[in-house]
Amino acid sequence: MLAAGFTDYLAKPVNINEMEQMMIRYLPKDEVILTKKESKEEDEELESLPDELFSIDGLDPKVGLDYCGDADDYLYAIEVFAASVGERKEKIEKALDLRDIDTYTTDVHSLKSMLLSIGASELSEKAKSLEMAARGGDWDRLAKETPKFLEAYVKLGECLSETPH
């Protein structure tokens, strides 16, 4: 993109703080009024999250909060994530069974972004690894690693479903 003439870009999933900084950088300086978010406010946002989120293995609520911008948006992202687990799991399994590389790659790519945006960085990295294997047509690896990945994904979804938000 930069070689084609773009001056900058944001990679998905978009981190709200990075987007804000980029907007500040490119908007006319006389049109931007900055307000400082106190670290106390950030701490309050983090403290407003349910305690149960901090005990879920593989989830870092601080990372998710950074991506989403505030506690309400983060909790909404978790709710949407948890509600879609069953359907997404079935789509990925079906694509694997049918050897539908395009659907598999698209769905795992999307899941990678969703996982990162809620603070499940390690599982997001596993999704990225599966996406790369799919792009390379490595069906043996996909057949071996996808079930373990989906098991961890479903477990995370169940934990999030049981967490008050």
Side-chain angles (χ1 to χ4, degrees), residues 1 30 40 47 74 89 94 121 126 130 132-133 137:
M1 290 187 301
D30 60 335
K40 181 180 175 186
E47 288 173 8
Y74 180 55
K89 175 187 180 277
K94 184 177 179 182
S121 303
K126 289 180 183 178
L130 290 173
M132 294 301 111

Side-chain angles (χ1 to χ4, degrees), residues 9-72:
Y9 71 96
L10 288 171
K12 290 186 334 184
V14 175
N15 178 306
I16 294 295
N17 295 323
E18 290 174 11
M19 182 177 73
E20 182 180 89
Q21 290 305 309
M22 188 172 287
M23 291 174 68
I24 291 168
R25 186 169 41 246
Y26 291 107
L27 289 171
K29 303 293 182 228
D30 60 335
E31 297 292 326
V32 176
I33 299 170
L34 297 176
T35 60
K36 183 178 178 189
K37 188 171 187 177
E38 300 292 328
S39 63
K40 181 180 175 186
E41 290 176 32
E42 292 172 2
D43 291 344
E44 288 172 1
E45 288 281 333
L46 202 55
E47 288 173 8
S48 73
L49 296 175
D51 291 339
E52 293 86 353
L53 288 176
F54 296 91
S55 63
I56 295 175
D57 195 31
L59 186 72
D60 185 342
K62 170 117 177 65
V63 170
L65 193 60
D66 286 345
Y67 269 93
C68 294
D70 66 37
D72 289 338

Side-chain angles (χ1 to χ4, degrees), residues 120-139:
S121 303
E122 187 177 318
L123 205 50
S124 175
E125 282 299 315
K126 289 180 183 178
K128 180 179 180 179
S129 176
L130 290 173
E131 178 187 357
M132 294 301 111
R135 291 184 191 279
D138 190 347
W139 287 105

